[in-house]
């Protein structure tokens, strides 16, 4: 079992920045990568970034160049630095665990409770 706790959401103006943090606990050896996903009202959940245990990162096109994921293997945390935020970034953001399988990193059933990010003037 893995437990994930997110923090750092809130209200920010367009063009602003916000930093989300995810702390993992439990069976940490089962974590091949940590990632962030988001879900806006009426839309499907979107995987936006992940980082492997070796520090290799991957981003969706929608956030590439604006968001940066980082990981602290000692503290077992994964942060998401979000810059140049847009109203369309408004969503509930979820931290989640990925496992390496058949050449790719795939989501597992381990998800945090989510944190709301609202980008509005």
């Amino acid at each position: 079992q893995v437990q994930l706790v997110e923090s750092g959401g809130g209200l920010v103006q367009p063009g602003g920045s916000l930093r989300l943090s995810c702390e993992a606990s439990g069976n940490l050896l089962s974590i091949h990568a940590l990632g962030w996903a988001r879900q806006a009202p009426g839309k499907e959940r979107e995987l936006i970034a992940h980082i492997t245990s070796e520090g290799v990162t991957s981003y969706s096109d929608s956030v590439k160049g604006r968001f940066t994921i980082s990981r602290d293997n000692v503290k077992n945390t994964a942060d998401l630095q979000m810059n140049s935020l847009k109203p369309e970034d408004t969503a509930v953001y979820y931290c989640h665990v990925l496992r390496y399988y058949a050449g790719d990193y795939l989501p597992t059933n381990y998800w945090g409770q989510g944190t709301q990010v609202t980008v509005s003037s």
Side-chain angles (χ1 to χ4, degrees), residues 15 52 60 66 84 97 101-102 112 115:
T52 71
S60 67
R66 298 188 298 124
S84 302
V97 173
Y101 179 78
T115 185

Side-chain angles (χ1 to χ4, degrees), residues 18-32:
L18 208 58
R19 189 176 183 90
L20 306 181
S21 185
C22 171
E23 182 173 2
S25 60
N27 183 12
L28 301 176
L29 292 177
S30 67
I31 299 176
H32 299 170

Side-chain angles (χ1 to χ4, degrees), residues 38-46 62 87-92 94:
R38 65 186 181 185
Q39 188 166 20
K43 294 188 176 182
E44 293 187 355
R45 190 169 293 189
E46 176 190 16
S62 61
E88 50 264 44
D89 293 318
T90 295
V92 178
Y94 298 91

Side-chain angles (χ1 to χ4, degrees), residues 9-94:
L11 174 65
V12 63
Q13 292 186 343
S17 298
L18 208 58
R19 189 176 183 90
L20 306 181
S21 185
C22 171
E23 182 173 2
S25 60
N27 183 12
L28 301 176
L29 292 177
S30 67
I31 299 176
H32 299 170
L34 284 172
W36 286 92
R38 65 186 181 185
Q39 188 166 20
K43 294 188 176 182
E44 293 187 355
R45 190 169 293 189
E46 176 190 16
L47 306 181
I48 58 173
H50 74 257
I51 183 167
T52 71
S53 299
E54 294 77 25
V56 178
T57 58
S58 178
Y59 299 94
S60 67
D61 288 342
S62 61
V63 305
K64 192 176 297 182
R66 298 188 298 124
F67 292 10
T68 302
I69 189 170
S70 59
R71 183 169 177 174
D72 187 325
N73 289 330
V74 175
K75 297 181 179 179
N76 300 313
T77 58
D79 290 356
L80 186 68
Q81 177 66 41
M82 306 185 293
N83 298 328
S84 302
L85 284 162
K86 306 174 184 179
E88 50 264 44
D89 293 318
T90 295
V92 178
Y93 284 70
Y94 298 91

